[in-house]
Amino acid sequence: MESGSYEGVLLGMGNPLLDISAVVDEAFLAKYDIKPGNAILAEEKHLPMYNELASKVNVEYIAGGSTQNSIRVAQWMLQIPGATSYMGCIGKDKFGEEMKKDAQAAGAHYYEDDNAPTGTCAVCIVGGERSLVANLSAANCYRSEHLKRPENWTLVEKAKYIYIAGFFLTVSPDSIQLVAEHAAATNKVFMMNLSAPFICEFFRDAQEKALPYADYIFGNETEARTFAKVRGWETENTEEIALKISQLPKASGAHKRITVITQGCDPVKTFPVILLPKEKLVDTNGAGDAFVGGFLSQLVQEKSIDECVRAACYAANVIIQRSGCTYPEKPDFN
């Protein structure tokens, strides 16, 4: 395809969050009852934590949100202007303005809520491992009415590949359903992520409704094991689980489902991963999102799965050597 035909080829929908990222200690995690490596939604007890993080000398503010990260990385890897677009909800505030600046290249079309502040995600880093606590706020206000507006629905019609992280299931399952059904009806490629153990556990019904439409399902080993556990599959073996997920019923027979489970620094399925010496690891925030972004950048070019995984590992490897989901000006991938 020449670059013109890549216009808006990839669409993402999700929760745009501003990451408030700082290195903390074990005591900080204990104080707010946070597990290392986990991703959760903020409860009352977590709210004071955001100010405490913001007062740390090493605090950084970085555009985040799982799907937005993946779309931004895909756009960066593609280096074809306008290849991606993204929808989500932000507030009319300083954080929202920050986000617009950061996500402009990724083709962000935000719905702006008048009342709620822009969502934030506390990124607590201990020994390079990230733990996430999301305060969705405005991100939680996304509605399918926004999606149905002609100027936004054209983005759906233009896209050939659509990616939505599981986190969006807590916000607008009806938006997911609209897009998923459109993809099935028009033979487009629809992709989802398991995203977090709590999604697999507590949003199982919404997940069950969306998954039949998914042609690609991404996740990490912890999420895959939780997914298996809630379904009473008596196995902890990620390859077995990936196979079972691939064999779950599908809404459309146009594409065979492919499940991609990452396992930290262990190989992806049987694909080798670029191993990074520990001293080069800055933080794992955004690594899984970047993996998906790299994968999608090749998938939309109709490259082989091997190539998609190679690009995915490259992108994740770049991101873990930097703070948050950030990247140099140009990729060095060929």
Side-chain angles (χ1 to χ4, degrees), residues 15-20 39-51 53 65 89-91 93 95 99 116-123 131-141 167 170-171 198:
N15 303 333
L17 304 174
L18 194 72
D19 284 352
I20 304 176
I40 58 171
L41 292 176
E43 296 167 42
E44 202 65 40
K45 63 181 178 190
H46 297 120
L47 298 180
M49 180 180 67
Y50 294 87
N51 283 335
L53 271 180
C89 184
I90 59 173
D93 51 19
F95 283 175
M99 192 103 72
T118 297
T120 48
C121 182
V123 181
S131 198
L132 309 175
V133 185
N135 185 10
L136 296 182
S137 230
N140 204 26
C141 301
F167 292 120
T170 75
V171 172
F198 84 87

Side-chain angles (χ1 to χ4, degrees), residues 265-275 291 309-310 313-314:
C265 49
D266 297 328
V268 183
K269 292 195 296 196
T270 49
F271 297 103
V273 173
I274 307 162
L275 284 172
F291 179 92
V309 173
R310 197 169 69 83
C313 294
Y314 165 78

Side-chain angles (χ1 to χ4, degrees), residues 4 35 46 52 113 166 186 192 231 252 256 278 311 319:
K35 291 193 197 81
H46 297 120
E52 193 175 333
D113 189 83
T186 52
M192 287 202 78
R231 279 163 184 75
S252 123
K256 228 165 88 61
K278 186 78 176 150
I319 265 67

Side-chain angles (χ1 to χ4, degrees), residues 10 66-78 84 163 193 218 286-300 308 311-313 315-316 325:
L10 173 63
S66 181
T67 305
Q68 181 163 257
N69 285 344
S70 297
I71 298 297
R72 288 176 64 217
V73 168
Q75 176 62 56
W76 170 71
M77 288 283 288
L78 277 162
T84 63
Y163 172 70
N193 203 311
F218 298 91
D289 302 334
F291 179 92
V292 173
F295 191 100
L296 298 181
S297 73
Q298 305 307 298
L299 189 67
V300 303
C308 293
C313 294
C325 198

